C-alpha cells in the first residue's frame, strides 16, 4: 500500500515539474525557419490585456491623432483589422532571414500570425488590396503584391507574409531616405524608364512570384528540425511567455552571402552562439532580460577568464550621498587577447603595437586587472562664464565624478609606462607617475597613477577624498544588493537628471511635456552575471515613480498627452500663419 502511494506521489510530482517547465510554445513559432537571423515576438494578448484592464482603449489612442478626420480614418482602419479574421490575441512574429549571395536577393522578412476566420481574412484582402488575384498552392491560398514584392499566404489557421529584402542595403527601404523614392514613387520611376519587352517582363515577374510562393510553401510545411524551435535558446525564449521577445542568431547572419569576407576561424569562434532578450511591462517598472548563449569555442575562453565580480570597495569609497549614477565592470582583459589569438590575427595586432611602442599585446593586457568604476554625483545645470567673452554666461550640465582602473601585473604595468610612447607623456616620481609637460598637465583632469590604480577625478579635492578611502557612498535602497556579485553593475538616478532641466526658458507648449516627464521616471538599473556554464545573463529595470500603475499604460498615457500638446501647438502655429497671410478686406477708394 505504501509503495503504491509512493508511486502515485512520485508520478504526480514528476508530472507537475514537467508541466511547469514545458509551457506550450506559440503555434505561430513553428513557421519560423532556423535560418532566421533575427526574430521579434509580440505577445498581443498580454499587451492588450494590460492596456484594457487599465482603461486604455483604441478610442483613447486614436483620440490623440492629428485631427478629428485622421482619428476617424484610423479608427475605421482599426475596426477593419479587428474584423479581418486575424486573431488579435495571438503572438505576432517578425523574422529576418538572410540567405544566399547578396546579388541573388534571396533574403526576406516574414510576418506570421494566427487566423480566427480565414474567410473573413480573404474578404478583408479583397477589400484592401488593389488588383486582388487569388491563387491556390497545395493546402494554402495566396495573393501576390507587386508593389511590395510580397506574397501573402494563408491556411485555415495561419497567415504568413513574405517580402524580399536587399540584405546588402536595408536603408533603401526607408521611404524617401537619402533621396530614394517611396515604393509607389519607385514604381512610377521604373515604369517611366526604359521599357522592357512585355513578354520578358512577364517572364521575370512570374519567376519572382514562383520563388516567393515556393518559400511560403516551405514555411507552411517546415519540419521540426528545420524550424527555429529546434534551437534550444529560441525554445527557451518562447517558454518565458514575455510581453515581447527578441532572438538573434549571429551564425545565420554571417553565414549568408553578405558576410562571405568574415574569416573561417572567426565564424568557428562564434559558432553556436545566440542572444535572446525579453521585455515585460509590470506595475511601476519595465523589466528587460537578456541571455547570451556562448558556443563551445568562446565558452572555453570565457571559463578560463570570465569568472570575475566587480570590486565593491572601488565603488563604495566614493565620498558622496548625492549619487547621480555609476557603472562598475569586472572583465579580464586577457580574454580579449585569447579571442584575438583564436581568430588568428594576433600577429598583425602585435606588429601594429610593437612598431609604435615596443610592447606586445600581452604586455598591455597583463598590465590591467580589468576592474573599473565610474561614479558621478551632484549633477546640475550651472551658469558658466565664457573664457573668451567675459561677462557672457551659458548654462551647461556639470557633475562631480571619479574614474578608477585597477592595475594588474605590476611589472607589465611599469613596462607599459616606460614604453617610448607613454614615457613622453608621463614620468615616474617615487611611487607614482606625473605628467612630463606642466602645460599639458594643466589641461588634464586631476589624476593619480600608481602601481595599484589609475584614478581620474572631476576636481582635486574629490580625487584626494576618494584616494583616502574615508568616504562612503550612499546608494538607493536595494541597489547594492542587486549589483553585488555581478560582472557588470550600473545605476542612473533619472529623477535627479530630469529634474535639473530648466523650464524657465521653455515655451508654454513645451512645459507640460517636460513636467509630465519629470513625473514619470525614477531610475534605471542594470546587472550582468554568469548563470553558470555557457550562459551570461543580464537584467535591466526602468523604474517609474508611480509604482501602482502598469508601465505600458503610463507610457501610452504620456504619449497621448504629448500628442495632444503637439497637436494644439501645430494648430496654434497654423492659425498664426493663416492670420499673417490672410487677404485684407476689400476696400473701394473713389478717385476724385
Amino acid at each position: 500500500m505504501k509503495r503504491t502511494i509512493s508511486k502515485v506521489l512520485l508520478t504526480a510530482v514528476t508530472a507537475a515539474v514537467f508541466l511547469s517547465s514545458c509551457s506550450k510554445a506559440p503555434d505561430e513559432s513553428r513557421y519560423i525557419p532556423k535560418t532566421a537571423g533575427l526574430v521579434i515576438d509580440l505577445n498581443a494578448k498580454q499587451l492588450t490585456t494590460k492596456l484594457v484592464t487599465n482603461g486604455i482603449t483604441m478610442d483613447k489612442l486614436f483620440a490623440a491623432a492629428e485631427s478629428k478626420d485622421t482619428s476617424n480614418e484610423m479608427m475605421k482602419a482599426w475596426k477593419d483589422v479587428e474584423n479581418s479574421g486575424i486573431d488579435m490575441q495571438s503572438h505576432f512574429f517578425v523574422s529576418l532571414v538572410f540567405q544566399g549571395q547578396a546579388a541573388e536577393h534571396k533574403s526576406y522578412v516574414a510576418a506570421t500570425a494566427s487566423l480566427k476566420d480565414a474567410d473573413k481574412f480573404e474578404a478583408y484582402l479583397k477589400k484592401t488590396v488593389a488588383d486582388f488575384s487569388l491563387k491556390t498552392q497545395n493546402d494554402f491560398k495566396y495573393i501576390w503584391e507587386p508593389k511590395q514584392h510580397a506574397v501573402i499566404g494563408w491556411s485555415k489557421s495561419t497567415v504568413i507574409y513574405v517580402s524580399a529584402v536587399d540584405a546588402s542595403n536595408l536603408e533603401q527601404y526607408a521611404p524617401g531616405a537619402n533621396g530614394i523614392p517611396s515604393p509607389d514613387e519607385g514604381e512610377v520611376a521604373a515604369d517611366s524608364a526604359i521599357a522592357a519587352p512585355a513578354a520578358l517582363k512577364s517572364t521575370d515577374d512570374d519567376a519572382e512570384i514562383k520563388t516567393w510562393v515556393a518559400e511560403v510553401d516551405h514555411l507552411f510545411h517546415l519540419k521540426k528540425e528545420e524550424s527555429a524551435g529546434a534551437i534550444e535558446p529560441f525554445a527557451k525564449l518562447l517558454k518565458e511567455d514575455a510581453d515581447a521577445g527578441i532572438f538573434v542568431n549571429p551564425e545565420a547572419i554571417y553565414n549568408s552571402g553578405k558576410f562571405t569576407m568574415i574569416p573561417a576561424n572567426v565564424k568557428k569562434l562564434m559558432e553556436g552562439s545566440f542572444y535572446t532578450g525579453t521585455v515585460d511591462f509590470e506595475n511601476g517598472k519595465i523589466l528587460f532580460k537578456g541571455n547570451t548563449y556562448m558556443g563551445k569555442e568562446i565558452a572555453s575562453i570565457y571559463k578560463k577568464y570570465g569568472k570575475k565580480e566587480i570590486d565593491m570597495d572601488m565603488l563604495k569609497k566614493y565620498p558622496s550621498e548625492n549619487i547621480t549614477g555609476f557603472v562598475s565592470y569586472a572583465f579580464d582583459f586577457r580574454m580579449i587577447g585569447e579571442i584575438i589569438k583564436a581568430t588568428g590575427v594576433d600577429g598583425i595586432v602585435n606588429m601594429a603595437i610593437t612598431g609604435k611602442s615596443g610592447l606586445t599585446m600581452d604586455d598591455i593586457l597583463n598590465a590591467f586587472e580589468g576592474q573599473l568604476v565610474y561614479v558621478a554625483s551632484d549633477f546640475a545645470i550651472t551658469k558658466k562664464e565664457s573664457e573668451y567673452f567675459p561677462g557672457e554666461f551659458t548654462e551647461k550640465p556639470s557633475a562631480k565624478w571619479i574614474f578608477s582602473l585597477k592595475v594588474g601585473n605590476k611589472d607589465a604595468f611599469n613596462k607599459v609606462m616606460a614604453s617610448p610612447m607613454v614615457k613622453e607623456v608621463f614620468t615616474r616620481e617615487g611611487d607614482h607617475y606625473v605628467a612630463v609637460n606642466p602645460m599639458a598637465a594643466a589641461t588634464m583632469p586631476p589624476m593619480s597613477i600608481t602601481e595599484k590604480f589609475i584614478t581620474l577625478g572631476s576636481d582635486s579635492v574629490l580625487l584626494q577624498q576618494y584616494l583616502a578611502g574615508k568616504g562612503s557612498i550612499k546608494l538607493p535602497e536595494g541597489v547594492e544588493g542587486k549589483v553585488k556579485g555581478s560582472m557588470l553593475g550600473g545605476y542612473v538616478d533619472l529623477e535627479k537628471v530630469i529634474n535639473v532641466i530648466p523650464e524657465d526658458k521653455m515655451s508654454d507648449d513645451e512645459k507640460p511635456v517636460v513636467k509630465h516627464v519629470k513625473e514619470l521616471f525614477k531610475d534605471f538599473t542594470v546587472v550582468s552575471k554568469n548563470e553558470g556554464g555557457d550562459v551570461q545573463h543580464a537584467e535591466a529595470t526602468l523604474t517609474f515613480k508611480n509604482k501602482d500603475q502598469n508601465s505600458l499604460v503610463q507610457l501610452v498615457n504620456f504619449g497621448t498627452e504629448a500628442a495632444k500638446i503637439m497637436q494644439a501647438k501645430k494648430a496654434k502655429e497654423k492659425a498664426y500663419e493663416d492670420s499673417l497671410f490672410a487677404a485684407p478686406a476689400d476696400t473701394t477708394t473713389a478717385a476724385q
Side-chain angles (χ1 to χ4, degrees):
M1 184 67 177
K2 289 182 179 179
R3 185 175 297 177
T4 303
I5 293 174
S6 298
K7 286 184 178 181
V8 172
L9 290 175
L10 179 61
T11 303
V13 171
T14 303
V17 172
F18 178 79
L19 292 172
S20 64
S21 62
C22 299
S23 55
K24 186 175 180 293
D27 289 338
E28 304 85 3
S29 65
R30 63 191 178 99
Y31 302 104
I32 300 171
K34 67 191 307 181
T35 53
L38 172 69
V39 181
I40 297 173
D41 170 27
L42 296 178
N43 190 332
K45 182 178 181 179
Q46 288 186 183
L47 291 170
T48 54
T49 298
K50 289 179 178 181
L51 290 173
V52 172
T53 54
N54 285 272
I56 303 295
T57 63
M58 297 308 297
D59 293 354
K60 184 173 182 179
L61 290 176
F62 293 140
E66 292 186 359
S67 67
K68 185 176 180 180
D69 292 338
T70 304
S71 177
N72 290 337
E73 290 176 4
M74 293 171 65
M75 178 58 71
K76 183 177 181 298
W78 175 254
K79 291 299 182 184
D80 288 340
V81 172
E82 279 190 316
N83 296 319
S84 67
I86 298 176
D87 186 357
M88 304 305 290
Q89 296 293 302
S90 67
H91 282 254
F92 291 85
F93 287 95
V94 177
S95 311
L96 187 56
V97 181
F98 296 91
Q99 57 185 13
Q101 298 296 319
E104 294 177 311
H105 304 294
K106 290 185 177 180
S107 297
Y108 62 90
V109 61
T112 310
S114 290
L115 290 179
K116 291 192 299 184
D117 191 322
D119 292 334
K120 279 188 176 182
F121 182 68
E122 183 176 328
Y124 170 75
L125 292 179
K126 285 181 180 179
K127 179 181 178 181
T128 57
V129 177
D131 302 322
F132 176 89
S133 179
L134 183 65
K135 305 286 184 181
T136 301
Q137 173 96 356
N138 294 330
D139 52 356
F140 68 92
K141 298 178 181 180
Y142 73 89
I143 64 168
W144 171 253
E145 276 197 294
K147 288 185 178 181
Q148 305 297 330
H149 296 271
V151 173
I152 302 176
W154 66 96
S155 63
K156 291 183 178 180
S157 59
T158 307
V159 55
I160 300 176
Y161 172 94
V162 168
S163 178
V165 297
D166 183 355
S168 63
N169 187 15
L170 295 176
E171 293 85 356
Q172 68 175 302
Y173 297 100
N178 301 319
I180 298 172
S182 64
D184 291 344
E185 296 169 337
E187 289 203 357
V188 172
D191 290 341
S192 61
I194 301 174
L200 180 59
K201 186 175 186 301
S202 176
T203 301
D204 291 342
D205 289 347
D206 288 345
E208 183 182 18
I209 294 171
K210 288 180 180 179
T211 296
W212 295 116
V213 170
E215 188 63 35
V216 172
D217 195 347
H218 173 63
L219 296 181
F220 267 120
H221 302 95
L222 281 177
K223 297 177 182 178
K224 186 176 181 179
E225 63 271 17
E226 295 176 325
S227 72
I231 302 174
E232 186 178 356
F234 183 73
K236 287 183 177 180
L237 172 67
L238 297 179
K239 291 178 182 178
E240 292 189 36
D241 202 29
D243 293 339
I246 185 170
F247 170 76
V248 180
N249 183 351
E251 193 175 351
I253 297 173
Y254 62 62
N255 277 340
S256 67
K258 177 176 170 57
F259 299 95
T260 53
M261 297 302 292
I262 295 180
N265 49 2
V266 175
K267 292 182 178 180
K268 183 180 179 182
L269 178 67
M270 298 303 297
E271 189 177 273
S273 296
F274 304 94
Y275 173 80
T276 64
T278 62
V279 180
D280 280 294
F281 297 93
E282 301 179 0
N283 283 358
K285 62 184 177 181
I286 302 176
L287 183 61
F288 307 88
K289 293 182 181 179
N291 285 319
T292 300
Y293 295 85
M294 295 173 281
K296 182 179 178 181
E297 297 290 331
I298 196 72
S300 65
I301 296 174
Y302 188 86
K303 288 175 183 176
K304 185 177 179 181
Y305 296 108
K307 192 62 177 178
K308 290 183 72 71
E309 297 179 359
I310 58 176
D311 186 340
M312 292 298 293
D313 289 337
M314 293 175 66
L315 170 65
K316 294 178 69 175
K317 67 180 183 179
Y318 186 84
S320 177
E321 295 185 356
N322 189 22
I323 297 301
T324 305
F326 71 86
V327 59
S328 294
Y329 197 27
F331 179 80
D332 196 321
F333 291 161
R334 292 176 298 176
M335 193 187 304
I336 299 174
E338 289 290 331
I339 293 173
I340 292 174
K341 290 173 184 177
T343 60
V345 297
D346 51 310
I348 298 174
V349 173
N350 274 317
M351 285 178 62
I353 295 174
T354 303
K356 294 182 180 180
S357 65
L359 301 169
T360 66
M361 176 181 66
D362 288 336
D363 288 334
I364 297 174
L365 297 177
N366 288 331
F368 304 100
E369 187 176 315
Q371 289 278 2
L372 61 87
V373 65
Y374 174 82
V375 192
S377 64
D378 303 279
F379 181 76
I381 301 294
T382 58
K383 288 185 177 181
K384 293 186 178 181
E385 187 174 8
S386 172
E387 56 182 308
Y388 303 108
F389 302 99
E392 291 190 9
F393 292 85
T394 57
E395 291 186 343
K396 294 183 178 181
S398 65
K400 294 182 178 181
W401 57 268
I402 285 289
F403 170 82
S404 188
L405 173 64
K406 184 180 284 189
V407 171
N409 183 278
K410 183 175 67 173
D411 293 334
F413 175 72
N414 287 326
K415 185 177 180 181
V416 169
M417 297 304 294
S419 63
M421 290 183 64
V422 179
K423 72 178 183 180
E424 293 180 1
V425 183
F426 297 101
T427 184
R428 183 161 185 161
E429 289 186 0
D431 62 349
H432 63 282
Y433 290 86
V434 297
V436 173
N437 188 328
M439 294 183 63
T443 64
M444 299 177 183
M447 66 180 66
S448 168
I449 303 176
T450 69
E451 292 178 344
K452 294 182 178 180
F453 293 96
I454 296 177
T455 309
L456 289 71
S458 56
D459 61 80
S460 57
V461 174
L462 179 66
L463 177 63
Q464 294 306 317
Q465 290 176 340
Y466 179 80
L467 294 175
K470 296 180 180 180
S472 180
I473 196 171
K474 184 177 181 180
L475 297 173
E477 183 179 355
V479 172
E480 182 177 344
K482 283 184 178 181
V483 302
K484 187 176 181 180
S486 65
M487 184 177 179
L488 167 69
Y491 169 80
V492 179
D493 190 325
L494 297 174
E495 187 175 4
K496 289 181 179 177
V497 174
I498 298 171
N499 280 343
V500 301
I501 299 175
E503 297 183 33
D504 55 336
K505 294 185 178 181
M506 294 182 176
S507 66
D508 292 337
D509 297 314
E510 296 171 333
K511 287 180 180 179
V513 177
V514 175
K515 184 176 183 296
H516 200 148
V517 171
K518 290 183 176 182
E519 296 172 349
L520 196 62
F521 301 112
K522 187 177 186 299
D523 57 32
F524 177 80
T525 309
V526 60
V527 295
S528 180
K529 298 182 179 181
N530 181 263
E531 290 288 277
D534 57 356
V535 182
Q536 182 73 28
H537 180 71
E539 287 191 12
T541 306
L542 177 61
T543 306
F544 291 65
K545 287 186 176 182
N546 185 346
K547 297 180 180 180
D548 300 322
Q549 190 176 45
N550 185 272
S551 54
L552 179 59
V553 174
Q554 294 187 54
L555 289 177
V556 170
N557 284 334
F558 168 71
T560 54
E561 288 300 317
K564 289 179 181 178
I565 292 170
M566 292 300 102
Q567 176 185 339
K569 181 180 179 181
K570 287 182 180 180
K572 188 186 297 184
E573 291 174 350
K574 187 177 185 302
Y576 177 71
E577 290 174 359
D578 291 344
S579 67
L580 291 178
F581 295 101
D586 291 338
T587 57
T588 304
T589 304
Q592 298 296 329

